[in-house]
Amino acid sequence: SSSSSSSSLATVPLIKFAVLGTLSVGTIGLANVACFHLSIPVMQVFKSAKILPVMLMGTFILKKTYTCTHYISALLISLGLMIFVISNAKVTPTFSMLGILLVCGSLTCDAIIGNFQEKLFRDYKQLMISESLMKSKIFGSISAFVICVITGNLMPSVLFCYKYFYTVSLWI
């Protein structure tokens, strides 16, 4: 068991885990920032249309092909999404193009993660799920730290964690 773990340490490039970790931070971070620019119903509609970027990334990353039914479903979801967004833009004051771009970025990161992980496990048969999770979370933490430093949010984050230590410790 430990020999298979150590063999994957030597064969899976760390950059692959760095990509996964950074994409995870992108998924969560972009979605959180999008909440400031979009109403909750718009966010939910976009999240429900997650199949669109997943299919698109599956085609690019894994060279997947889908059935006619999948494509028709994706087309209908796209049409429904366009109608909802157009009608919501006229009614809701918490709607912006920036919010749409942010939530699309979040969904794209999320779609890449699933397909990229599938390719990683397909290409590196000896890779264990626990190893992948641990390494991608470490790189995600490093990415989040760097983003907090660059945006000036490191101290407010540390102070928040200190002030609400008990609640934060329950999350961990």
Side-chain angles (χ1 to χ4, degrees), residues 2-156:
S2 72
S3 66
S4 69
S5 177
S6 62
S7 68
S8 67
L9 290 173
T11 58
V12 180
L14 288 178
I15 189 71
K16 302 214 182 253
F17 299 111
V19 168
L20 282 173
T22 303
L23 287 169
S24 287
V25 171
T27 297
I28 296 165
L30 292 171
N32 287 345
V33 176
C35 288
F36 293 108
H37 302 279
L38 298 173
S39 64
I40 297 299
V42 173
M43 287 289 294
Q44 292 306 316
V45 167
F46 269 89
K47 286 183 178 187
S48 70
K50 180 181 169 179
I51 185 140
L52 301 173
V54 169
M55 285 177 68
L56 186 65
M57 291 303 143
T59 302
F60 287 126
I61 296 171
L62 298 171
K63 310 292 185 240
K64 282 186 176 180
T65 56
Y66 298 95
T67 65
C68 187
T69 306
H70 283 110
Y71 286 114
I72 290 170
S73 297
L75 178 67
L76 291 173
I77 289 171
S78 299
L79 289 172
L81 185 60
M82 286 188 285
I83 291 167
F84 181 83
V85 167
I86 290 168
S87 65
N88 200 47
K90 297 174 183 174
V91 177
T92 307
T94 55
F95 177 90
S96 74
M97 212 51 195
L98 176 59
I100 297 291
L101 291 173
L102 289 167
V103 76
C104 286
S106 172
L107 289 172
T108 301
C109 288
D110 201 22
I112 294 170
I113 288 171
N115 286 295
F116 191 79
Q117 281 177 326
E118 189 175 331
K119 182 171 178 14
L120 198 63
F121 284 107
R122 189 185 297 168
D123 292 349
Y124 300 94
K125 302 268 188 250
Q126 77 283 8
L127 179 61
M128 296 185 324
I129 293 171
S130 58
E131 178 185 348
S132 176
L133 281 171
M134 181 190 72
K135 289 180 180 178
S136 62
K137 297 304 177 194
I138 287 170
F139 280 106
S141 298
I142 293 167
S143 296
F145 178 80
V146 168
I147 290 167
C148 283
V149 169
I150 290 171
T151 61
N153 287 312
L154 182 62
M155 280 314 293

Side-chain angles (χ1 to χ4, degrees), residues 154-164:
L154 182 62
M155 280 314 293
S157 299
V158 169
L159 293 174
F160 177 88
C161 290
Y162 179 76
K163 183 176 179 180
Y164 300 102

